[in-house]
Amino acid sequence: MSLSEFDIIERYFSRRAAARADVVLGIGDDAALLQVPADRQLAVAMDTLVAGRHFPPQTAAFDIGWKALAVNLSDLAAMGASPAWATLSLTLPEADDAWLAGFADGFFELAERYRVELVGGDTTRGPLAVTVQVHGLVEPGRALRRSGARAGQQLFVTGTPGDAACALQALQSGDTVAPALLQRLNRPEPRVDFGMALAGTGGAAAIDISDGLLADLGHILDAGQCGATLWIDRLPRSSGLASVQDEAALGCQLYGGDDYELCFSLDPGRAGQLEVLARQQQLAVTRIGVIESQPGIRCRRDDGSLYTPQGAGFDHFRVP
Ligand code: ADP
Ligand code: MG
């Protein structure tokens, strides 16, 4: 028997993943009712995943569900906001039980971990596409804006950018992909706890790396009307990426998107606090450069020579 739209919502999306008291009214009415605390600002972000464009068509349903929420939580992380609620717009070619079960499992595994309640959405038929909107809470004045970078601040990155791009390239050329790299492409870890803690220390500017380190760093620099020197030999490299030829690995690190690590700037005086935080959270945080007043990004080798980047970050509408 085929599933109706309401069967789908009832069977797969009505889980109270977080059982949050601030959800006055969840799925089932014309709109959800949510109680925003009087002393918080609402941080809202939305991201769409389109089959064949944001994930390869053969991607497992679980991974699509996971990633659809993860990329949104990553935006909240980059603001330093605490995740609270989500809505989900799902466009499906057909109502496939096994696919829906896998998708919901992936979505709710992450939702439970970060206490995010799914409070509504929309379900339609068409080519596979998933849009999630997330709502987070942040103390007024504490959000990590892109525009906070200032000359003299140090530049950092979490984790090991480049892994997801390396996995995608291997998939696309039909090569075998190291499981650790594939995991990074299919199940990105949004740096939610780190982003919140960073906002708490009075962090400066932050962005999550979705389109490539150089491109996303560029957004921070534009917003802060400043520039940076990037020490490319110090970019952290995972063991998976270390086995790739050097120039190719560097390309993944500089231009590869989809890692959802955080790139941020911080006053030098906060380096000690940052060290404690990284240790507490057991997250690798690497100093990769310095913010300067001269606009543009200068990529430097450890021997002092300048390196000229050959690529660009991802842009859906760029004409090749
Ligand atoms: P309406 O016609 O009033 O817009 P719908 O029939 O689209 O409502 O949806 C019924 C209820 O189910 C609403 O509360 C809506 O938010 C929720 N909903 C629909 N699709 C989803 C989904 N994919 N995930 C979560 N909630 C959903
Ligand atoms: Mg209605």
Side-chain angles (χ1 to χ4, degrees):
M1 209 187 74
S2 68
L3 289 170
S4 75
E5 186 185 320
F6 297 99
D7 294 334
I8 293 174
I9 299 164
E10 163 87 20
R11 199 175 296 180
Y12 298 106
F13 298 113
S14 298
R15 290 190 216 175
R16 298 289 311 267
R20 296 181 67 100
D22 51 16
V23 178
V24 180
L25 187 62
I27 290 175
D29 212 312
D30 295 311
L33 297 174
L34 308 167
Q35 191 63 51
V36 182
D39 58 349
R40 289 290 183 279
Q41 289 174 335
L42 194 57
V44 182
M46 175 191 268
D47 255 319
T48 296
L49 302 187
V50 175
R53 181 152 272 276
H54 296 92
F55 55 86
Q58 70 271 25
T59 305
F62 185 103
D63 294 340
I64 298 170
W66 173 286
K67 194 164 180 173
L69 183 56
V71 301
N72 275 280
L73 292 180
S74 176
D75 281 322
L76 291 184
M79 297 303 286
S82 168
W85 313 300
T87 52
L88 166 66
S89 174
L90 195 53
T91 305
L92 299 169
E94 59 188 341
D96 180 296
D97 250 317
W99 192 93
L100 280 160
F103 177 90
D105 283 347
F107 185 96
F108 282 110
E109 182 165 323
L110 205 51
E112 275 164 34
R113 186 184 311 171
Y114 290 109
R115 293 200 59 236
V116 176
E117 198 85 87
L118 182 63
V119 296
D122 198 20
T123 307
T124 56
R125 188 162 191 161
L128 179 60
V130 187
T131 299
V132 172
Q133 183 174 53
V134 284
H135 313 80
L137 301 170
V138 64
E139 243 179 87
R142 280 283 186 181
L144 300 165
R145 300 183 185 209
R146 291 184 183 181
S147 57
R150 297 290 175 268
Q153 289 174 345
Q154 300 175 333
L155 191 62
F156 297 88
V157 73
T158 63
T160 53
D163 297 345
C166 181
L168 184 63
Q169 282 176 12
L171 273 185
Q172 284 172 339
S173 43
D175 298 339
T176 50
V177 191
L181 292 180
L182 200 56
Q183 175 88 0
R184 297 268 293 153
L185 176 67
N186 289 333
R187 309 248 182 107
E189 287 288 345
R191 304 303 185 187
V192 172
D193 296 330
F194 184 80
M196 284 164 57
L198 189 64
T201 67
I207 193 167
D208 66 322
I209 305 176
S210 53
D211 296 332
L213 174 60
L214 278 187
D216 288 318
L217 171 59
H219 296 316
I220 287 186
L221 301 177
D222 288 345
Q225 294 183 296
C226 50
T229 286
L230 187 67
W231 303 317
I232 57 172
D233 289 328
R234 302 194 200 169
L235 295 177
R237 213 171 267 193
S238 69
S239 52
L241 203 60
S243 61
V244 174
Q245 181 258 342
D246 186 59
E247 194 67 16
L250 181 60
C252 289
Q253 291 176 301
L254 292 177
Y255 321 118
D258 252 10
D259 283 300
Y260 304 97
E261 295 295 348
L262 297 182
C263 174
F264 60 96
S265 73
L266 203 62
D267 288 326
R270 299 199 188 269
Q273 255 174 300
L274 177 65
E275 210 174 295
V276 172
L277 204 140
R279 204 176 323 117
Q280 276 171 351
Q281 300 208 357
Q282 298 182 297
L283 179 63
V285 176
T286 310
R287 193 175 156 203
I288 58 170
V290 62
I291 304 286
E292 294 158 344
S293 52
Q294 184 193 349
I297 303 176
R298 290 154 290 282
C299 294
R300 267 192 204 285
R301 292 279 191 190
D302 270 354
D303 64 10
S305 63
L306 273 176
Y307 170 91
T308 309
Q310 306 295 323
F314 189 76
D315 178 338
H316 284 284
F317 293 102
R318 184 186 298 115
V319 181

